[in-house]
Amino acid sequence: MAKRTIVNLPGDGIGRSVLDAAIRVLDAAGFEADYVEGDIGWEFWRTEGNPLPQRTLDLLEKHKVALFGAITSKPKDEAAEELVPELKDKNLVYSSPIVGLRQHFGLDICLRPCRTYKGNPLNFIRRGANKDIEEPMVNAAIFRQNTEGLYGGVEWANPQGVVYDALMSHPKFKKNFGHVPQEEISVSTRIFTKKATERILRAAFEHAKEFGFDNITVCEKPNVIRETSGMMYKMALELHKADYPNIWVRNTNIDAQMMWLTKNPEDYGVIVAGNMFGDIVSDGFAGLIGGLGFACSAQYNPETGISVFEPTHGSAPKYADYDVSIVNPIAMIESACMMLDFIKEYDYAKKIRAAVAEVIEEGKVRTYDMMKMRGKADVIENGAASTDEMADAVIAKLK
Ligand code: NAI
Ligand code: MG
């Protein structure tokens, strides 16, 4: 079979060190691929005025599958300040290249699995009925709609003209906000489309079917946010009836779900939500299994097959310039495993996950976060493993 080409998008800060570590693990596991590096992130914003150059979009269009580290985003004005002098007066406006990637390729399905590794000192524990300590085994797959909703970017400060008129045509706006001066009003919309809502629901149902779950949980707020959350829940019930009769639909509200998070997280298998609530609930679950060093994700477009695999964490700029990288590469390694699953290279993924599990359970090699240290350059001399040492430990356990 022809060797695959994977687009490598290290990005900024710690993105490169975790991605390099993950690729070493992929190589050592025997997964053969050619990697081509794509330009993305701060350097390209500063020097070209575009953190996501067209050539990078072309690369992904061609090769379809990318591993992504992390990027740095900064507020608009600060970003404009850092442009090279010849670009400063061009009125360029910074926008996040990872959000740009999602929108450009319609990567509207985001999957964030949260699985407990035995022996991880960061695992959530709770008190049982007899004051004993319980360590619930979490295994939840959170499907987050990735392109619409509150992150759709349709917003106004001081709405004017037809926008204001349209708002005033809504009786509730008129009654509750009609007396407020326009310049004191800001509006962020929450737009859900039927097509995207059906796609994220189907992705969740299909996952449940493939992995033997008998239900999915829609985690929204349909009793209050009727037109969007309500639509998602209703469509879930319709899909259940029409196509997935053996997978029933549970309905939880995002606020209550966060309250229950520590009560019975092991009771949730497949969760589906819109963009904002999906972000919240997936971070909540990630906190139970070790936090940012363990939170991985896949984003894909089911029609084109274009997909980007990335840890949930950002570029952690304060650690980026350390001589030895101290961050935990497991979230990136897990993201690479999700890529392997996606391209149906299940055996490599299984092998790598087993090695990661063994390293964690053995507990000899731990990055600073796993040792509950504060992230500083001296963590290595205090016994924490570096990013590379963690990757080496995983490699040593590959069978
Ligand atoms: P962050 O995720 O970069 O870091 C927050 C803290 O989490 C770090 O200080 C560190 O203590 C810990 N952490 C992160 N990754 C870790 C790892 N692999 N191992 C151990 N500990 C880890 O979030 P922050 O500081 O809010 O943002 C930094 C920059 O990253 C910003 O410019 C932000 O815009 C960007 N960002 C990018 C994302 C992406 O590329 N998808 C996502 C989130 C933030
Ligand atoms: Mg988040």
Side-chain angles (χ1 to χ4, degrees), residues 112 144 279 283 312:
R112 292 178 167 183
R144 165 194 178 192
D279 201 8
D283 273 12
T312 308

Side-chain angles (χ1 to χ4, degrees), residues 95-113:
S95 68
S96 159
I98 181 65
V99 176
L101 259 188
R102 288 171 194 158
Q103 279 161 355
H104 181 84
F105 289 112
L107 306 176
D108 61 339
I109 312 289
C110 174
L111 167 57
R112 292 178 167 183

Side-chain angles (χ1 to χ4, degrees), residues 134-347:
E134 298 172 345
E135 190 172 323
M137 297 301 278
V138 176
N139 184 10
I142 292 110
F143 283 83
R144 165 194 178 192
Q145 205 295 325
N146 213 25
T147 46
E148 305 191 331
L150 267 176
Y151 294 172
V154 184
E155 317 186 282
W156 296 270
N158 189 7
Q160 299 286 322
V162 289
V163 174
Y164 188 75
D165 294 344
L167 291 167
M168 280 297 265
S169 74
H170 195 292
K172 283 205 174 134
F173 185 90
K174 196 165 178 198
K175 178 161 175 265
N176 298 325
F177 305 103
H179 60 283
V180 181
Q182 274 163 262
E183 66 275 15
E184 288 184 20
I185 293 176
S186 290
V187 182
S188 300
T189 63
R190 187 175 198 263
I191 300 172
F192 280 32
T193 65
K194 284 200 165 160
K195 182 176 176 195
T197 304
E198 179 172 340
R199 271 157 72 121
I200 193 72
L201 287 168
R202 269 197 196 282
F205 274 116
E206 286 297 325
H207 183 90
K209 195 162 125 184
E210 186 177 346
F211 294 96
F213 293 94
D214 68 356
N215 70 82
I216 65 165
T217 301
V218 178
C219 180
E220 279 283 324
K221 186 90 183 174
N223 54 334
V224 177
I225 317 176
R226 292 166 201 273
E227 301 303 341
T228 47
S229 294
M231 179 177 94
M232 180 177 265
Y233 180 49
K234 185 163 167 261
M235 286 178 71
L237 292 174
E238 286 164 3
L239 279 173
H240 155 70
K241 226 171 163 181
D243 294 336
Y244 304 95
N246 300 322
I247 301 168
W248 57 284
V249 178
R250 293 161 85 180
N251 171 27
T252 61
N253 287 339
I254 177 70
D255 47 346
Q257 180 76 66
M258 296 313 281
M259 187 176 61
W260 293 328
L261 199 63
T262 50
K263 191 171 153 246
N264 59 339
E266 67 271 50
D267 292 348
Y268 298 92
V270 183
I271 297 177
V272 56
N275 207 337
M276 172 95 248
F277 295 163
D279 201 8
I280 293 173
V281 75
S282 61
D283 273 12
F285 271 88
L288 304 173
I289 57 127
L292 288 175
F294 292 85
C296 54
S297 80
Q299 316 177 65
Y300 59 93
N301 178 328
E303 273 168 56
T304 62
I306 292 179
S307 52
V308 176
F309 302 85
E310 59 154 327
T312 308
H313 64 72
S315 61
K318 59 184 177 184
Y319 306 151
D321 299 328
Y322 288 0
D323 292 337
V324 177
S325 172
I326 64 165
V327 292
N328 190 345
I330 291 177
M332 185 77 238
I333 294 171
E334 280 282 332
S335 303
C337 289
M338 294 184 78
M339 174 198 77
L340 291 171
D341 283 344
F342 192 82
I343 60 175
K344 302 197 170 14
E345 296 283 4
Y346 302 112
D347 290 346

